[in-house]
Every structure is written in structure tokens, then in C-alpha cells.
Amino acid sequence: MIAFVTGPVAALAPTTAVLEVGGVGMAVQCTPNTLSTLRIGQEAKLATSLVVREDSLTLYGFVDDDERQVFELLQTASGVGPRLAQAMLAVHSPDALRLAISTADEKALTAVPGIGKKGAQKLLLELKDRLGAPLGTGAHLAAQRTASGPAPWSEQLHSALVGLGYAPRDAEDAVIAVTPQAEASAEPNVGALLKAALQTLNRAR
């Protein structure tokens, strides 16, 4: 089990970071939120979870141990593999997921690509006693949801694009371009918006 990796960031891609560890480039699958905290050339430490398959070894990276723990707990539910667990963490923070499960918030779960109404109901039933209560207070989480200022998705998307090497102005233009897509959803999927923004930037080149 590889619990964490530490080293300079050698490369960043839309879903992957490469950290140089002891002269070896370790490819780590990350959410846009995690990628937005990384900068090429800077030292980074990611909590990791190694997923072993017959034909592959895939390392998933997280900003902290709590996020990794939630990633692994999500996979104890039937039908939830590492990709879906990562998609859930791309849309919601660990505490937001705890809150959604503890309050039976079906709508929050269906905001995740790949989870329908029946799937959300099943997850609420299976994960009810596994994730535990939110670490923050409910009032604090509610305040985060309704806080004024830029929408959380736009800040995350802008940071992710800058982290991938785009100029802040170009990143801002890409965020503006995908805003209609984001506003069409109650809880925008940052991962999907990142893909759309990258397509916009590639067309502009």
C-alpha cells in the first residue's frame, strides 16, 4: 500500500499529475480540485490509494488523508468503483458527501455523473452508517453553499486551468465561456466543465 507520495510536480494533465519520486515519475489520478493545488516544479505531497487490477496498477491522489479515506469508504458500496468514487469527490467535498448521506440528500448524489435516482437511493441506504457525520457543522456547510462572491465551481475551474499552465486571462475567458453550461445545473460538475473549458482553449489556439 502506497499511503502517500512526495516530490516535485513534473507534469500536469486534465486528470493526472506526475510527481518525481526518487527519480521515478509517479502518475497519480486526481480530481480537478486536487490538481488546482499543484504547480509544476513545486514540491507536493499527496495522500494516495493504490487500486490493483489484473491488468493495471492505478494510483489515486488526494489533498489529505480524509479525502482518501472517504474515497475508499465510498467503494465499499456495491457498484462503486474508483472512477465513480473519484467523480463523487470531484463534485462534492468529503464533508459535503457526509452531509448528503446523513440528510438523505438524493439530489446531491444525482448531481454526480453516472449516478441516477435509483443509484442514489441505493447509495444512501448502503453508506448511511459508513461515512459518519460531517466534520464541520451543518450551519457552516450551509453558509459555504450560500456565501456571496464567485461561485465555488468557477474558482476551482480557474485554479485548475492556471495550474495546468494557462495564463490567468485565458483561464478567465474559458470560465466565462462555460458559465452557461454551469448555470444550467444546480450543482455544476467541475470535471465536465474542465473538459469543456480545455476544448474552448484548444479551439482558440
Side-chain angles (χ1 to χ4, degrees), residues 166-184:
Y166 290 97
R169 181 58 188 271
D170 291 339
E172 191 174 319
D173 290 343
V175 170
I176 293 171
V178 301
T179 294
Q181 179 181 336
E183 292 181 343

Side-chain angles (χ1 to χ4, degrees), residues 68-135:
R68 178 189 56 199
Q69 183 180 24
V70 170
F71 171 79
E72 293 174 346
L73 285 172
L74 289 172
Q75 292 176 72
T76 64
S78 59
V80 179
R83 289 187 181 278
L84 183 55
Q86 190 180 47
M88 293 171 75
L89 285 166
V91 176
H92 300 296
S93 69
D95 248 9
L97 282 171
R98 291 189 183 98
L99 184 64
I101 298 298
S102 64
T103 59
D105 188 349
E106 191 177 299
K107 185 178 178 182
L109 294 184
T110 56
V112 179
I115 299 181
K117 185 179 178 66
K118 287 186 177 179
Q121 292 171 343
K122 190 176 179 182
L123 286 172
L124 289 172
L125 189 63
E126 291 193 31
L127 295 171
K128 183 172 64 174
D129 300 319
R130 299 182 191 177
L131 293 189
L135 302 181

Side-chain angles (χ1 to χ4, degrees), residues 2-160:
I2 302 175
F4 66 88
V5 293
T6 302
V9 179
L12 291 171
T15 60
T16 309
V18 177
L19 269 64
E20 184 179 338
V21 182
V24 177
M26 302 283 284
V28 187
Q29 299 291 313
C30 304
T31 65
N33 297 349
T34 300
L35 290 170
S36 70
T37 68
L38 306 177
R39 299 290 182 272
I40 292 177
Q42 292 186 7
E43 192 83 4
K45 179 178 180 180
L46 294 175
T48 55
S49 180
L50 180 64
V51 176
V52 181
R53 295 287 184 266
E54 288 184 6
D55 58 348
S56 66
L57 294 173
T58 307
L59 201 59
Y60 290 84
F62 310 93
V63 291
D64 55 33
D65 290 335
D66 181 45
E67 193 171 61
R68 178 189 56 199
Q69 183 180 24
V70 170
F71 171 79
E72 293 174 346
L73 285 172
L74 289 172
Q75 292 176 72
T76 64
S78 59
V80 179
R83 289 187 181 278
L84 183 55
Q86 190 180 47
M88 293 171 75
L89 285 166
V91 176
H92 300 296
S93 69
D95 248 9
L97 282 171
R98 291 189 183 98
L99 184 64
I101 298 298
S102 64
T103 59
D105 188 349
E106 191 177 299
K107 185 178 178 182
L109 294 184
T110 56
V112 179
I115 299 181
K117 185 179 178 66
K118 287 186 177 179
Q121 292 171 343
K122 190 176 179 182
L123 286 172
L124 289 172
L125 189 63
E126 291 193 31
L127 295 171
K128 183 172 64 174
D129 300 319
R130 299 182 191 177
L131 293 189
L135 302 181
T137 65
H140 175 65
L141 289 170
Q144 284 184 322
R145 288 181 172 181
T146 58
S148 59
W153 69 263
S154 66
E155 294 180 329
Q156 292 167 7
L157 182 58
H158 188 273
S159 295

